[in-house]
Structure formats: C-alpha cells, structure tokens
Amino acid sequence: MATVPDHLVPQDGLTNSSVRWYRMEILHDEGMVRFFFAFTDENKQKIADYPIDLPLSEAKNGGFNAMIAEAHRCMNDNLRQWLYVNDTVYRAYSDVE
C-alpha cells in the first residue's frame, strides 16, 4: 500500500461536509443502474450530485448489496483520484515538496 503523506492522512473533525449515497435509478433501456451521491457543504446543504453508473447485469450477479458496495468502491476511486490531482496542483503552487 502506498504511503500517505502526513497532510493527507484522514482524520475526524476537519469539516462537516460530506458525500453520501441517496438514490438509485434503473435505466432499463441502457442496461445500467445509476447511483447518485450527494455532496453537502458545511451547513449540510446539497451542493452537487455525482452519478455512478454500473451495468444492470451486476445486480443479477451479486445482488443489491453487492451493487451498492461497488458504487461506493467506484466513488472511493474517484475521491482518491481527485485528492491526488488536487494535492498535485497544491504542491505546484506552494513551497511544499
């Protein structure tokens, strides 16, 4: 597993904002299931939705819980990528090495 720099180590209490799954749509014509994640700000106001699309066939193979877990795994991958890119830009503009 990769080493996480000290300034990126997760900790409680940094912010009251959140990301949470709140809705699922079955798109029969497209053979997909769309999971919606809500991003909320410090005041718990929704500021954005982010959809994750998964093949409907996964629902048949692993069941509902497996599909929800896969949607969360995909969201985790997105969040990790965003954090990496954001930290790269942060480092480019700061004196941090």
Side-chain angles (χ1 to χ4, degrees):
M1 179 172 275
T3 302
V4 177
D6 287 342
H7 70 284
L8 296 180
V9 173
Q11 57 184 299
D12 285 335
L14 289 178
T15 179
N16 286 327
S17 61
S18 66
V19 178
R20 67 175 183 88
W21 169 61
Y22 76 97
R23 190 171 91 209
M24 178 185 95
E25 291 179 359
I26 299 174
L27 308 171
H28 292 285
D29 293 343
E30 300 174 36
M32 303 295 283
V33 179
R34 180 166 292 156
F35 290 86
F36 288 91
F37 289 82
F39 287 79
T40 62
D41 65 13
E42 292 280 331
N43 298 314
K44 298 300 179 194
Q45 299 298 311
K46 186 164 53 168
I47 55 174
D49 287 325
Y50 190 83
I52 300 282
D53 291 347
L54 299 175
L56 188 54
S57 60
E58 288 189 24
K60 296 174 184 170
N61 294 335
F64 188 68
N65 285 348
M67 239 184 356
I68 294 171
E70 180 62 11
H72 279 84
R73 187 198 63 74
C74 290
M75 178 51 79
N76 286 344
D77 286 349
N78 283 300
L79 293 169
R80 277 194 294 271
Q81 182 64 29
W82 296 343
L83 182 58
Y84 170 78
V85 170
N86 192 65
D87 191 57
T88 299
V89 173
Y90 161 70
R91 289 174 176 283
Y93 283 97
S94 69
D95 294 333
V96 177
E97 292 188 26

Coordinates of all heavy atoms in Angstrom, one line a residue:
M1 N 0.8 -1.2 0.0 CA 0.0 0.0 0.0 C 0.9 1.2 0.0 O 1.9 1.3 0.6 CB -0.9 0.0 1.2 CG -1.8 1.2 1.3 SD -3.1 1.1 2.6 CE -4.3 0.2 1.7
A2 N 0.4 2.3 -0.7 CA 1.2 3.5 -0.8 C 1.3 4.2 0.5 O 0.3 4.1 1.3 CB 0.6 4.4 -1.9
T3 N 2.4 4.9 0.7 CA 2.5 5.8 1.9 C 1.7 7.0 1.7 O 1.7 7.7 0.7 CB 4.0 6.1 2.1 OG1 4.7 4.9 2.3 CG2 4.1 7.0 3.4
V4 N 0.9 7.4 2.7 CA 0.1 8.6 2.7 C 0.9 9.7 3.4 O 1.2 9.6 4.5 CB -1.3 8.4 3.3 CG1 -2.1 9.7 3.3 CG2 -2.0 7.3 2.7
P5 N 1.1 10.9 2.7 CA 1.8 12.0 3.3 C 1.0 12.5 4.5 O -0.2 12.4 4.5 CB 1.8 13.1 2.2 CG 1.6 12.4 1.0 CD 0.8 11.2 1.3
D6 N 1.7 13.0 5.5 CA 1.0 13.4 6.8 C -0.1 14.4 6.5 O -1.2 14.3 7.2 CB 2.0 14.1 7.7 CG 3.0 13.1 8.3 OD1 2.7 11.9 8.4 OD2 4.0 13.5 8.8
H7 N 0.0 15.3 5.6 CA -1.0 16.3 5.4 C -2.3 15.7 4.7 O -3.3 16.4 4.6 CB -0.5 17.5 4.6 CG -0.2 17.2 3.2 ND1 0.9 16.5 2.8 CD2 -0.9 17.5 2.0 CE1 0.9 16.4 1.4 NE2 -0.2 17.0 1.0
L8 N -2.2 14.4 4.3 CA -3.4 13.8 3.6 C -4.0 12.7 4.5 O -4.9 12.0 4.1 CB -3.0 13.2 2.3 CG -2.6 14.3 1.2 CD1 -2.2 13.6 -0.1 CD2 -3.7 15.3 1.0
V9 N -3.4 12.4 5.6 CA -3.9 11.3 6.5 C -5.3 11.7 6.9 O -5.6 12.8 7.5 CB -3.0 11.1 7.7 CG1 -3.6 10.1 8.7 CG2 -1.6 10.6 7.3
P10 N -6.3 10.8 6.7 CA -7.7 11.1 7.2 C -7.8 11.3 8.7 O -7.1 10.7 9.4 CB -8.5 9.9 6.8 CG -7.6 9.2 5.8 CD -6.2 9.5 6.1
Q11 N -8.7 12.2 9.0 CA -9.0 12.5 10.5 C -10.4 13.0 10.6 O -10.9 13.7 9.7 CB -7.9 13.4 11.1 CG -7.8 14.7 10.4 CD -6.7 15.5 11.0 OE1 -6.7 15.8 12.2 NE2 -5.7 15.8 10.2
D12 N -11.0 12.8 11.7 CA -12.3 13.3 12.0 C -12.2 14.8 12.4 O -11.2 15.3 12.9 CB -12.9 12.6 13.2 CG -13.5 11.2 12.8 OD1 -13.7 11.0 11.6 OD2 -13.6 10.4 13.7
G13 N -13.3 15.5 12.1 CA -13.4 16.9 12.6 C -12.8 17.9 11.6 O -12.8 19.1 12.0
L14 N -12.3 17.6 10.5 CA -11.8 18.6 9.6 C -12.9 19.4 9.0 O -12.7 20.6 8.7 CB -10.9 18.0 8.4 CG -9.6 17.3 8.8 CD1 -9.0 16.7 7.6 CD2 -8.7 18.4 9.4
T15 N -14.0 18.8 8.7 CA -15.1 19.5 8.0 C -16.4 18.8 8.3 O -16.4 17.6 8.7 CB -14.9 19.6 6.5 OG1 -16.0 20.2 5.9 CG2 -14.7 18.2 5.9
N16 N -17.5 19.5 8.2 CA -18.8 19.0 8.4 C -19.4 18.6 7.0 O -20.6 18.2 7.0 CB -19.8 19.9 9.1 CG -19.4 20.0 10.6 OD1 -19.0 19.0 11.2 ND2 -19.6 21.1 11.2
S17 N -18.7 18.8 6.0 CA -19.2 18.5 4.6 C -19.2 17.0 4.5 O -18.6 16.3 5.3 CB -18.4 19.2 3.5 OG -17.0 18.7 3.6
S18 N -19.9 16.5 3.5 CA -20.0 15.0 3.3 C -20.3 14.6 1.9 O -20.7 15.4 1.1 CB -21.1 14.5 4.3 OG -22.3 14.9 3.9
V19 N -20.1 13.3 1.7 CA -20.5 12.6 0.5 C -21.4 11.4 0.9 O -20.9 10.7 1.8 CB -19.3 12.1 -0.4 CG1 -19.8 11.4 -1.6 CG2 -18.4 13.3 -0.7
R20 N -22.6 11.3 0.3 CA -23.4 10.1 0.7 C -24.2 9.7 -0.4 O -24.7 10.5 -1.3 CB -24.3 10.4 1.9 CG -25.3 11.4 1.7 CD -26.3 11.6 2.9 NE -27.3 12.5 2.6 CZ -28.5 12.2 2.1 NH1 -28.8 10.9 1.8 NH2 -29.4 13.1 1.8
W21 N -24.5 8.4 -0.5 CA -25.3 7.8 -1.5 C -26.8 8.1 -1.1 O -27.1 7.9 0.1 CB -25.1 6.3 -1.6 CG -26.1 5.6 -2.4 CD1 -26.4 5.8 -3.7 CD2 -27.0 4.6 -2.0 NE1 -27.5 5.0 -4.1 CE2 -27.8 4.2 -3.1 CE3 -27.2 3.9 -0.8 CZ2 -28.8 3.3 -3.0 CZ3 -28.2 2.9 -0.7 CH2 -29.0 2.6 -1.8
Y22 N -27.6 8.5 -2.0 CA -29.0 8.8 -1.6 C -30.1 8.3 -2.6 O -31.2 8.3 -2.3 CB -29.2 10.3 -1.3 CG -29.3 11.1 -2.6 CD1 -30.5 11.5 -3.1 CD2 -28.1 11.5 -3.2 CE1 -30.6 12.2 -4.3 CE2 -28.2 12.3 -4.3 CZ -29.4 12.7 -4.9 OH -29.4 13.4 -6.0
R23 N -29.7 7.9 -3.8 CA -30.7 7.5 -4.8 C -30.1 6.5 -5.8 O -29.0 6.6 -6.1 CB -31.2 8.7 -5.5 CG -32.5 8.5 -6.3 CD -33.1 9.7 -6.8 NE -32.5 10.1 -8.1 CZ -32.4 11.3 -8.6 NH1 -32.7 12.3 -7.9 NH2 -31.8 11.5 -9.8
M24 N -31.0 5.7 -6.3 CA -30.7 4.7 -7.4 C -31.7 4.8 -8.4 O -32.9 4.8 -8.1 CB -30.6 3.3 -6.7 CG -30.2 2.3 -7.7 SD -30.3 0.6 -6.9 CE -31.9 0.2 -7.3
E25 N -31.3 4.8 -9.7 CA -32.3 4.7 -10.8 C -31.9 3.5 -11.7 O -30.7 3.3 -11.9 CB -32.2 5.9 -11.7 CG -32.7 7.2 -11.0 CD -32.6 8.4 -12.0 OE1 -32.1 8.2 -13.1 OE2 -33.0 9.5 -11.5
I26 N -32.9 2.7 -12.1 CA -32.6 1.6 -13.0 C -32.9 2.1 -14.4 O -34.1 2.6 -14.7 CB -33.5 0.4 -12.7 CG1 -33.1 -0.1 -11.3 CG2 -33.3 -0.7 -13.7 CD1 -34.0 -1.2 -10.8
L27 N -31.9 2.1 -15.3 CA -32.1 2.6 -16.6 C -32.2 1.4 -17.6 O -31.2 0.9 -18.2 CB -30.8 3.5 -17.0 CG -30.5 4.6 -16.0 CD1 -29.2 5.3 -16.3 CD2 -31.7 5.6 -16.0
H28 N -33.4 0.8 -17.6 CA -33.6 -0.4 -18.4 C -33.1 -0.3 -19.8 O -32.4 -1.3 -20.3 CB -35.0 -0.9 -18.3 CG -35.5 -1.3 -17.0 ND1 -35.1 -2.5 -16.4 CD2 -36.2 -0.6 -16.1 CE1 -35.7 -2.6 -15.2 NE2 -36.3 -1.4 -15.0
D29 N -33.4 0.8 -20.5 CA -33.1 0.9 -21.9 C -31.6 0.9 -22.2 O -31.1 0.5 -23.2 CB -33.7 2.2 -22.5 CG -35.2 2.1 -22.6 OD1 -35.8 1.0 -22.5 OD2 -35.8 3.2 -22.7
E30 N -30.8 1.4 -21.1 CA -29.4 1.4 -21.3 C -28.7 0.3 -20.6 O -27.4 0.1 -20.7 CB -28.9 2.8 -20.7 CG -29.4 4.0 -21.3 CD -29.0 5.3 -20.6 OE1 -27.9 5.3 -20.1 OE2 -29.9 6.2 -20.6
G31 N -29.4 -0.6 -19.9 CA -28.8 -1.7 -19.2 C -27.9 -1.3 -18.1 O -26.9 -1.9 -17.8
M32 N -28.3 -0.2 -17.4 CA -27.4 0.4 -16.4 C -28.3 0.7 -15.1 O -29.5 0.8 -15.2 CB -26.8 1.7 -16.8 CG -26.0 1.7 -18.1 SD -24.5 0.7 -17.9 CE -23.5 1.8 -17.0
V33 N -27.5 0.8 -14.0 CA -28.1 1.3 -12.7 C -27.3 2.5 -12.4 O -26.0 2.4 -12.4 CB -28.0 0.2 -11.6 CG1 -28.6 0.7 -10.3 CG2 -28.7 -1.1 -12.0
R34 N -28.0 3.6 -12.1 CA -27.3 4.8 -11.7 C -27.5 5.1 -10.3 O -28.6 5.2 -9.8 CB -27.8 6.0 -12.6 CG -27.2 7.3 -12.3 CD -27.5 8.3 -13.3 NE -26.8 7.9 -14.6 CZ -27.2 8.3 -15.8 NH1 -28.3 9.1 -15.9 NH2 -26.6 7.9 -16.9
F35 N -26.3 5.2 -9.6 CA -26.3 5.6 -8.1 C -26.0 7.1 -8.0 O -25.0 7.5 -8.6 CB -25.3 4.7 -7.4 CG -25.7 3.3 -7.3 CD1 -25.4 2.4 -8.3 CD2 -26.4 2.9 -6.1 CE1 -25.8 1.1 -8.2 CE2 -26.8 1.5 -6.0 CZ -26.5 0.6 -7.1
F36 N -26.7 7.8 -7.2 CA -26.4 9.2 -7.0 C -25.8 9.4 -5.7 O -26.4 9.0 -4.7 CB -27.7 10.1 -7.2 CG -28.2 10.2 -8.6 CD1 -29.1 9.3 -9.1 CD2 -27.8 11.2 -9.4 CE1 -29.6 9.4 -10.4 CE2 -28.2 11.3 -10.7 CZ -29.1 10.4 -11.2
F37 N -24.7 10.1 -5.6 CA -24.1 10.6 -4.4 C -24.3 12.1 -4.3 O -24.1 12.8 -5.2 CB -22.6 10.2 -4.4 CG -22.3 8.7 -4.3 CD1 -22.4 7.9 -5.4 CD2 -22.0 8.2 -3.1 CE1 -22.2 6.6 -5.3 CE2 -21.8 6.8 -3.0 CZ -21.9 6.0 -4.1
A38 N -24.6 12.5 -3.1 CA -24.8 14.0 -2.8 C -23.6 14.5 -2.1 O -23.1 13.9 -1.1 CB -26.0 14.2 -2.0
F39 N -23.1 15.6 -2.5 CA -22.0 16.3 -1.9 C -22.7 17.5 -1.1 O -23.5 18.2 -1.7 CB -21.0 17.0 -2.8 CG -20.1 15.9 -3.5 CD1 -20.5 15.1 -4.5 CD2 -18.8 15.8 -3.0 CE1 -19.7 14.2 -5.1 CE2 -18.0 14.9 -3.6 CZ -18.4 14.1 -4.6
T40 N -22.4 17.6 0.2 CA -23.0 18.6 1.0 C -21.9 19.5 1.6 O -20.8 19.1 1.8 CB -23.9 18.1 2.2 OG1 -23.0 17.3 3.0 CG2 -25.0 17.2 1.7
D41 N -22.3 20.8 1.8 CA -21.3 21.7 2.4 C -21.4 21.7 3.9 O -22.0 20.8 4.5 CB -21.6 23.1 1.9 CG -22.9 23.7 2.3 OD1 -23.6 23.2 3.2 OD2 -23.3 24.8 1.7
E42 N -20.7 22.6 4.5 CA -20.6 22.7 6.0 C -21.9 22.8 6.7 O -22.1 22.4 7.8 CB -19.7 23.8 6.4 CG -18.2 23.7 6.0 CD -17.5 22.8 7.0 OE1 -17.8 22.7 8.2 OE2 -16.5 22.2 6.6
N43 N -22.9 23.4 6.0 CA -24.2 23.6 6.5 C -25.2 22.4 6.1 O -26.4 22.6 6.3 CB -24.8 24.9 6.1 CG -24.0 26.1 6.5 OD1 -23.6 26.1 7.7 ND2 -23.6 27.0 5.7
K44 N -24.7 21.4 5.6 CA -25.4 20.2 5.2 C -26.4 20.5 4.0 O -27.3 19.8 3.8 CB -26.2 19.6 6.3 CG -25.3 19.1 7.4 CD -24.4 18.0 6.9 CE -23.4 17.5 7.9 NZ -22.3 16.7 7.4
Q45 N -26.1 21.6 3.2 CA -26.8 21.9 2.0 C -26.2 21.2 0.9 O -25.0 21.2 0.7 CB -26.8 23.4 1.8 CG -27.4 24.3 2.9 CD -28.9 24.0 3.0 OE1 -29.6 23.9 2.1 NE2 -29.3 23.7 4.3
K46 N -27.0 20.5 0.1 CA -26.5 19.8 -1.1 C -25.9 20.8 -2.1 O -26.6 21.8 -2.5 CB -27.6 19.0 -1.7 CG -27.0 18.1 -2.9 CD -27.9 16.9 -3.3 CE -29.3 17.3 -3.7 NZ -30.0 16.2 -4.4
I47 N -24.7 20.6 -2.5 CA -24.1 21.5 -3.5 C -23.9 20.8 -4.8 O -23.6 21.5 -5.8 CB -22.7 22.0 -2.9 CG1 -21.8 20.9 -2.5 CG2 -23.0 23.0 -1.8 CD1 -20.4 21.3 -2.1
A48 N -23.9 19.5 -4.8 CA -23.7 18.8 -6.1 C -24.2 17.3 -6.0 O -24.2 16.7 -4.9 CB -22.3 18.8 -6.5
D49 N -24.5 16.8 -7.1 CA -24.8 15.3 -7.3 C -23.7 14.7 -8.1 O -23.2 15.4 -9.0 CB -26.1 15.1 -8.0 CG -27.3 15.4 -7.2 OD1 -27.3 15.2 -5.9 OD2 -28.3 15.9 -7.7
Y50 N -23.4 13.5 -7.8 CA -22.4 12.8 -8.7 C -23.0 11.4 -9.0 O -23.2 10.6 -8.0 CB -21.1 12.7 -8.0 CG -20.0 12.2 -8.9 CD1 -19.3 13.1 -9.7 CD2 -19.6 10.8 -8.9 CE1 -18.3 12.6 -10.6 CE2 -18.7 10.4 -9.8 CZ -18.0 11.3 -10.6 OH -17.0 10.8 -11.5
P51 N -23.2 11.1 -10.3 CA -23.7 9.8 -10.6 C -22.6 8.8 -10.8 O -21.5 9.1 -11.4 CB -24.5 10.0 -11.9 CG -23.7 11.2 -12.5 CD -23.2 12.0 -11.4
I52 N -22.9 7.5 -10.5 CA -22.0 6.4 -10.8 C -22.9 5.4 -11.5 O -23.9 5.0 -11.0 CB -21.5 5.7 -9.5 CG1 -20.6 6.7 -8.7 CG2 -20.7 4.4 -9.8 CD1 -19.2 6.9 -9.2
D53 N -22.5 5.0 -12.7 CA -23.3 4.1 -13.5 C -22.6 2.7 -13.4 O -21.4 2.6 -13.6 CB -23.4 4.5 -15.0 CG -24.2 5.7 -15.2 OD1 -25.0 6.1 -14.2 OD2 -24.2 6.3 -16.2
L54 N -23.4 1.7 -13.2 CA -23.0 0.3 -13.2 C -23.8 -0.5 -14.1 O -25.0 -0.3 -14.2 CB -23.0 -0.3 -11.8 CG -22.2 0.4 -10.7 CD1 -22.5 -0.2 -9.3 CD2 -20.7 0.3 -11.0
P55 N -23.3 -1.6 -14.7 CA -24.1 -2.4 -15.6 C -25.2 -3.1 -14.8 O -24.9 -3.6 -13.6 CB -23.1 -3.5 -16.1 CG -21.7 -2.9 -15.9 CD -21.9 -2.0 -14.7
L56 N -26.4 -3.2 -15.3 CA -27.5 -3.8 -14.7 C -27.2 -5.3 -14.4 O -27.7 -5.9 -13.5 CB -28.8 -3.6 -15.5 CG -30.1 -4.1 -14.9 CD1 -30.3 -3.4 -13.6 CD2 -31.2 -3.8 -15.9
S57 N -26.4 -5.9 -15.2 CA -26.1 -7.3 -15.1 C -25.4 -7.6 -13.7 O -25.5 -8.7 -13.2 CB -25.1 -7.8 -16.2 OG -23.9 -7.0 -16.2
E58 N -24.7 -6.6 -13.1 CA -24.1 -6.8 -11.8 C -25.2 -7.0 -10.7 O -24.9 -7.6 -9.7 CB -23.2 -5.6 -11.5 CG -21.9 -5.6 -12.3 CD -20.9 -4.5 -11.8 OE1 -21.0 -4.1 -10.6 OE2 -20.1 -4.1 -12.6
A59 N -26.3 -6.4 -10.9 CA -27.4 -6.6 -10.0 C -27.9 -8.0 -9.9 O -28.2 -8.6 -8.9 CB -28.6 -5.7 -10.3
K60 N -27.8 -8.7 -11.1 CA -28.3 -10.1 -11.2 C -27.2 -11.0 -10.6 O -27.5 -12.0 -10.0 CB -28.6 -10.4 -12.6 CG -29.7 -9.6 -13.2 CD -29.9 -9.9 -14.7 CE -31.0 -9.0 -15.2 NZ -31.1 -9.0 -16.6
N61 N -26.0 -10.6 -10.8 CA -24.9 -11.5 -10.3 C -24.6 -11.4 -8.8 O -24.5 -12.4 -8.2 CB -23.6 -11.1 -11.0 CG -23.6 -11.4 -12.5 OD1 -24.4 -12.3 -12.9 ND2 -22.9 -10.8 -13.3
G62 N -24.5 -10.2 -8.3 CA -24.1 -10.1 -6.9 C -25.2 -9.6 -5.9 O -25.1 -9.6 -4.7
G63 N -26.4 -9.2 -6.5 CA -27.4 -8.8 -5.7 C -27.3 -7.3 -5.3 O -26.4 -6.6 -5.7
F64 N -28.3 -6.8 -4.6 CA -28.4 -5.4 -4.3 C -27.3 -4.9 -3.4 O -26.7 -3.9 -3.7 CB -29.8 -5.2 -3.6 CG -30.1 -3.7 -3.4 CD1 -30.4 -2.9 -4.4 CD2 -30.1 -3.2 -2.1 CE1 -30.7 -1.6 -4.2 CE2 -30.5 -1.9 -1.9 CZ -30.8 -1.1 -3.0
N65 N -26.9 -5.6 -2.4 CA -25.8 -5.2 -1.5 C -24.5 -5.1 -2.3 O -23.7 -4.1 -2.1 CB -25.7 -6.1 -0.3 CG -26.8 -5.8 0.7 OD1 -27.5 -4.9 0.7 ND2 -26.9 -6.7 1.7
A66 N -24.2 -6.0 -3.1 CA -23.0 -6.0 -3.9 C -23.0 -4.8 -4.8 O -21.9 -4.2 -5.1 CB -22.9 -7.3 -4.7
M67 N -24.1 -4.5 -5.4 CA -24.2 -3.3 -6.3 C -23.9 -2.0 -5.5 O -23.2 -1.2 -6.0 CB -25.6 -3.2 -6.9 CG -25.5 -3.3 -8.4 SD -27.0 -3.1 -9.3 CE -28.3 -2.9 -8.1
I68 N -24.5 -1.9 -4.4 CA -24.3 -0.7 -3.6 C -22.8 -0.6 -3.2 O -22.2 0.5 -3.2 CB -25.2 -0.7 -2.3 CG1 -26.6 -0.6 -2.7 CG2 -24.8 0.4 -1.4 CD1 -27.6 -0.8 -1.6
A69 N -22.2 -1.7 -2.8 CA -20.8 -1.8 -2.4 C -19.9 -1.4 -3.6 O -19.0 -0.6 -3.4 CB -20.4 -3.2 -1.9
E70 N -20.2 -1.8 -4.8 CA -19.5 -1.5 -6.0 C -19.6 0.0 -6.3 O -18.6 0.6 -6.7 CB -19.9 -2.3 -7.2 CG -19.2 -2.0 -8.5 CD -17.7 -2.3 -8.4 OE1 -17.2 -2.9 -7.4 OE2 -17.0 -1.9 -9.4
A71 N -20.8 0.6 -6.1 CA -20.9 2.0 -6.4 C -20.1 2.8 -5.4 O -19.4 3.8 -5.8 CB -22.4 2.4 -6.2
H72 N -20.0 2.4 -4.1 CA -19.2 3.1 -3.1 C -17.7 2.9 -3.5 O -16.9 3.8 -3.3 CB -19.5 2.6 -1.7 CG -20.7 3.2 -1.1 ND1 -22.0 2.8 -1.4 CD2 -20.8 4.3 -0.3 CE1 -22.8 3.5 -0.7 NE2 -22.2 4.5 -0.1
R73 N -17.3 1.7 -3.9 CA -15.9 1.5 -4.3 C -15.5 2.4 -5.5 O -14.5 3.0 -5.5 CB -15.7 0.0 -4.7 CG -14.2 -0.3 -5.0 CD -14.0 -1.6 -5.8 NE -14.6 -1.5 -7.1 CZ -14.0 -0.7 -8.1 NH1 -12.9 -0.1 -7.9 NH2 -14.6 -0.7 -9.3
C74 N -16.4 2.5 -6.4 CA -16.2 3.5 -7.6 C -16.1 4.9 -7.1 O -15.2 5.7 -7.5 CB -17.3 3.4 -8.6 SG -17.3 1.8 -9.5
M75 N -16.9 5.3 -6.1 CA -16.9 6.7 -5.6 C -15.5 6.8 -4.8 O -14.9 7.9 -5.0 CB -18.0 7.0 -4.7 CG -18.0 8.3 -4.0 SD -17.7 9.7 -5.2 CE -19.3 9.9 -5.8
N76 N -15.1 5.8 -4.1 CA -13.8 5.9 -3.4 C -12.7 6.2 -4.4 O -11.8 7.0 -4.1 CB -13.6 4.7 -2.6 CG -14.4 4.6 -1.3 OD1 -14.9 5.6 -0.9 ND2 -14.5 3.5 -0.7
D77 N -12.7 5.4 -5.5 CA -11.7 5.6 -6.5 C -11.7 7.0 -7.1 O -10.6 7.6 -7.3 CB -11.9 4.6 -7.7 CG -11.5 3.2 -7.3 OD1 -10.9 3.0 -6.3 OD2 -11.8 2.3 -8.1
N78 N -12.9 7.6 -7.3 CA -13.0 9.0 -7.8 C -12.4 9.9 -6.7 O -11.6 10.9 -7.1 CB -14.4 9.3 -8.1 CG -14.9 8.8 -9.4 OD1 -14.3 9.1 -10.4 ND2 -15.9 7.9 -9.4
L79 N -12.8 9.8 -5.5 CA -12.3 10.7 -4.4 C -10.8 10.6 -4.3 O -10.2 11.6 -4.1 CB -13.0 10.3 -3.1 CG -14.5 10.6 -3.1 CD1 -15.1 10.0 -1.8 CD2 -14.8 12.1 -3.2
R80 N -10.3 9.4 -4.4 CA -8.8 9.3 -4.3 C -8.1 10.0 -5.4 O -7.1 10.6 -5.2 CB -8.4 7.8 -4.2 CG -8.5 7.2 -2.9 CD -7.7 5.8 -2.8 NE -8.4 4.8 -3.6 CZ -9.4 4.0 -3.2 NH1 -9.8 4.1 -2.0 NH2 -9.9 3.1 -4.0
Q81 N -8.7 9.8 -6.6 CA -8.1 10.5 -7.8 C -8.2 12.0 -7.7 O -7.2 12.7 -8.0 CB -8.8 10.0 -9.1 CG -8.2 10.6 -10.3 CD -6.8 10.2 -10.6 OE1 -6.3 9.1 -10.2 NE2 -6.0 11.0 -11.3
W82 N -9.3 12.5 -7.2 CA -9.5 13.9 -7.1 C -8.5 14.5 -6.0 O -7.9 15.5 -6.2 CB -10.9 14.3 -6.7 CG -11.9 13.9 -7.7 CD1 -11.8 13.7 -9.0 CD2 -13.3 13.8 -7.5 NE1 -12.9 13.4 -9.6 CE2 -13.9 13.5 -8.7 CE3 -14.1 14.0 -6.3 CZ2 -15.3 13.3 -8.8 CZ3 -15.5 13.8 -6.5 CH2 -16.1 13.4 -7.7
L83 N -8.3 13.7 -4.9 CA -7.4 14.2 -3.9 C -6.0 14.2 -4.4 O -5.2 15.2 -4.2 CB -7.5 13.3 -2.7 CG -6.6 13.6 -1.5 CD1 -6.9 15.0 -1.0 CD2 -6.8 12.6 -0.4
Y84 N -5.6 13.2 -5.2 CA -4.3 13.2 -5.8 C -4.1 14.4 -6.7 O -3.0 15.1 -6.6 CB -4.1 11.8 -6.6 CG -2.8 11.9 -7.4 CD1 -1.6 11.7 -6.8 CD2 -2.9 12.1 -8.8 CE1 -0.4 11.7 -7.6 CE2 -1.7 12.2 -9.5 CZ -0.5 11.9 -8.9 OH 0.6 12.0 -9.7
V85 N -5.0 14.6 -7.6 CA -4.9 15.7 -8.6 C -4.8 17.0 -7.8 O -4.0 17.9 -8.1 CB -6.0 15.7 -9.6 CG1 -6.0 17.0 -10.4 CG2 -5.8 14.5 -10.5
N86 N -5.7 17.2 -6.8 CA -5.8 18.5 -6.1 C -4.5 18.7 -5.3 O -4.0 19.8 -5.3 CB -7.0 18.5 -5.1 CG -7.2 19.8 -4.5 OD1 -7.6 20.7 -5.3 ND2 -7.1 19.9 -3.3
D87 N -3.9 17.6 -4.7 CA -2.7 17.8 -4.0 C -1.5 18.1 -4.9 O -0.6 18.9 -4.6 CB -2.4 16.5 -3.2 CG -1.3 16.7 -2.2 OD1 -1.4 17.6 -1.4 OD2 -0.3 16.0 -2.3
T88 N -1.5 17.5 -6.1 CA -0.5 17.8 -7.1 C -0.5 19.3 -7.5 O 0.5 20.0 -7.6 CB -0.7 17.0 -8.4 OG1 -0.6 15.6 -8.0 CG2 0.3 17.3 -9.4
V89 N -1.7 19.9 -7.7 CA -1.9 21.3 -8.0 C -1.4 22.1 -6.8 O -0.7 23.1 -6.9 CB -3.3 21.6 -8.5 CG1 -3.5 23.1 -8.6 CG2 -3.6 20.9 -9.8
Y90 N -1.9 21.7 -5.6 CA -1.5 22.4 -4.4 C 0.0 22.5 -4.3 O 0.6 23.6 -4.0 CB -2.1 21.7 -3.2 CG -1.4 22.0 -1.9 CD1 -1.5 23.3 -1.3 CD2 -0.6 21.1 -1.2 CE1 -0.9 23.6 -0.1 CE2 0.0 21.4 0.0 CZ -0.1 22.6 0.5 OH 0.5 22.9 1.7
R91 N 0.7 21.4 -4.5 CA 2.2 21.4 -4.4 C 2.8 22.3 -5.5 O 3.9 22.9 -5.3 CB 2.7 20.0 -4.5 CG 2.4 19.2 -3.3 CD 2.7 17.7 -3.4 NE 2.5 17.0 -2.2 CZ 3.3 17.1 -1.1 NH1 4.4 17.8 -1.1 NH2 3.0 16.4 0.0
A92 N 2.2 22.3 -6.7 CA 2.7 23.2 -7.7 C 2.7 24.7 -7.4 O 3.6 25.4 -7.8 CB 2.0 22.9 -9.0
Y93 N 1.7 25.1 -6.6 CA 1.5 26.5 -6.2 C 2.1 26.8 -4.9 O 2.2 28.0 -4.5 CB 0.0 26.8 -6.2 CG -0.5 27.0 -7.6 CD1 -1.2 26.0 -8.2 CD2 -0.3 28.2 -8.3 CE1 -1.7 26.2 -9.5 CE2 -0.8 28.4 -9.5 CZ -1.5 27.4 -10.2 OH -2.0 27.6 -11.4
S94 N 2.6 25.8 -4.1 CA 3.1 26.1 -2.8 C 4.6 25.8 -2.7 O 5.2 25.3 -3.7 CB 2.3 25.3 -1.7 OG 2.6 24.0 -1.8
D95 N 5.2 26.0 -1.6 CA 6.6 25.7 -1.4 C 6.7 24.3 -0.8 O 7.9 23.9 -0.5 CB 7.2 26.7 -0.3 CG 7.2 28.1 -0.9 OD1 7.3 28.2 -2.1 OD2 7.2 29.0 -0.1
V96 N 5.7 23.5 -0.8 CA 5.7 22.1 -0.3 C 6.4 21.2 -1.3 O 6.1 21.3 -2.5 CB 4.3 21.6 0.1 CG1 4.3 20.2 0.6 CG2 3.7 22.5 1.1
E97 N 7.2 20.3 -0.9 CA 7.8 19.4 -1.8 C 7.3 18.0 -1.6 O 6.8 17.6 -0.6 CB 9.3 19.3 -1.6 CG 9.9 20.6 -2.1 CD 11.4 20.6 -2.1 OE1 12.0 19.5 -2.2 OE2 12.1 21.6 -1.9

